[in-house]
Amino acid sequence: MSKLHINEIRLFTTEEIPKINLSPGIEKRIQSILEMLDELIGSELNHKDDAIISLLNTIFVYCDGQCNIKSVISENDAKKAIVYKFKKLVDKWFAKYHKVSDYADLLNVSDNYLNECIKETIGVNAKAVITEKRIMTSRHALKFTDKTVKEICFELGFSSPDYFSYFFKKHTGVTPSMLRQN
C-alpha cells in the first residue's frame, strides 16, 4: 500500500459488509481491471509488481466517489441523505469549493450539522472528504495525464503550484514530481 501512496483506507464503517453499487460504466472497467490482475498474478513478467500496483491504483481512483452510499440509506434517515447529497456535490464542485461552509451553504445546513452527519455516517469530517477527493483527483491526473503540475494545480482550484505541492506532500508524503517519477 505504501507504493500506492495511500495513507488510509476506510472500506466499511460497520461489521456488516455492505453491497457497493458502481455505475455500469465503472463496473465494466473494474471487471476488466480485475481480469488483468488475475492474469498478472499468475504471470512471470519482469515488472509484475509494478503492474499490479498500477492496476490497484486505478481501481482506487475509479471507485473513489463512485460507490453509491444511497444503497444503504433508509427512507427516513435524513443524516445519511445529507451525506449522500454532500458527496455528490463534492464530486461535482471539489475544484471550485474547498471549504466545508461552501457545501453547507449549498445544502442549507450549518457547518456543524454537516460535519455531525458525515462523522456519524462515514466516520470522518467533511474537510477530510473534500481533501480526499482533491488528493485522489490530483494523483490520477499526475499518473495518467501528460498535463504539467502547474496545469493540474490550477484545474483543481489551487492558488499556486507551490501551495499545490505543499498540500500534496502534506497528505501523501511525496511531492507531485516524486509521484510522477515513481
Side-chain angles (χ1 to χ4, degrees):
M1 293 308 255
S2 64
K3 288 185 180 180
L4 291 171
H5 303 289
I6 294 173
N7 301 326
E8 178 181 320
I9 297 176
R10 289 179 315 279
L11 293 177
F12 311 113
T13 57
T14 65
E15 296 293 321
E16 184 180 317
I17 298 174
K19 179 181 179 189
I20 298 173
N21 295 320
L22 299 173
S23 66
I26 298 295
E27 184 178 354
K28 287 177 188 171
R29 290 182 190 129
I30 296 295
Q31 183 62 39
S32 297
I33 293 169
L34 291 173
E35 289 169 6
M36 287 187 273
L37 278 168
D38 190 45
E39 288 176 28
L40 273 170
I41 289 170
S43 75
E44 297 299 323
L45 293 174
N46 289 339
H47 300 286
K48 176 172 103 174
D49 290 345
D50 291 334
I52 289 171
I53 288 169
S54 178
L55 289 172
L56 287 172
N57 183 45
T58 304
I59 286 174
F60 285 125
V61 169
Y62 272 132
C63 288
D64 178 56
Q66 299 300 324
C67 295
N68 187 354
I69 166 179
K70 198 169 192 174
S71 64
V72 295
I73 294 176
S74 63
E75 294 276 332
N76 57 5
D77 197 339
K79 287 185 177 182
K80 287 182 181 175
I82 286 175
V83 174
Y84 175 75
K85 290 175 187 174
F86 168 74
K87 284 186 64 69
K88 287 291 190 191
L89 287 172
V90 170
D91 287 344
K92 184 176 182 179
W93 297 107
F94 72 94
K96 183 176 181 179
Y97 299 126
H98 310 128
K99 296 178 187 172
V100 174
S101 60
D102 295 328
Y103 294 97
D105 290 344
L106 290 170
L107 292 166
N108 296 314
V109 297
S110 72
D111 299 11
N112 289 339
Y113 184 69
L114 179 58
N115 270 315
E116 177 186 318
C117 293
I118 294 167
K119 185 77 171 166
E120 283 181 25
T121 305
I122 59 177
V124 296
N125 64 26
K127 188 65 176 174
V129 174
I130 298 165
T131 299
E132 185 176 34
K133 180 66 178 176
R134 294 178 86 193
I135 289 296
M136 291 302 291
T137 305
S138 300
R139 287 173 37 77
H140 183 267
L142 289 164
K143 282 284 193 182
F144 301 109
T145 71
D146 292 331
K147 295 177 183 174
T148 66
V149 171
K150 187 176 182 179
E151 289 172 319
I152 293 167
C153 153
F154 291 121
E155 281 181 10
L156 298 179
F158 289 91
S159 58
S160 72
D162 289 339
Y163 179 69
F164 173 63
S165 291
Y166 164 78
F167 176 88
F168 193 85
K169 185 170 184 180
K170 177 182 174 186
H171 293 286
T172 65
V174 296
T175 65
S177 301
M178 290 167 62
L179 180 72
R180 273 225 161 122
Q181 290 170 356
N182 290 341

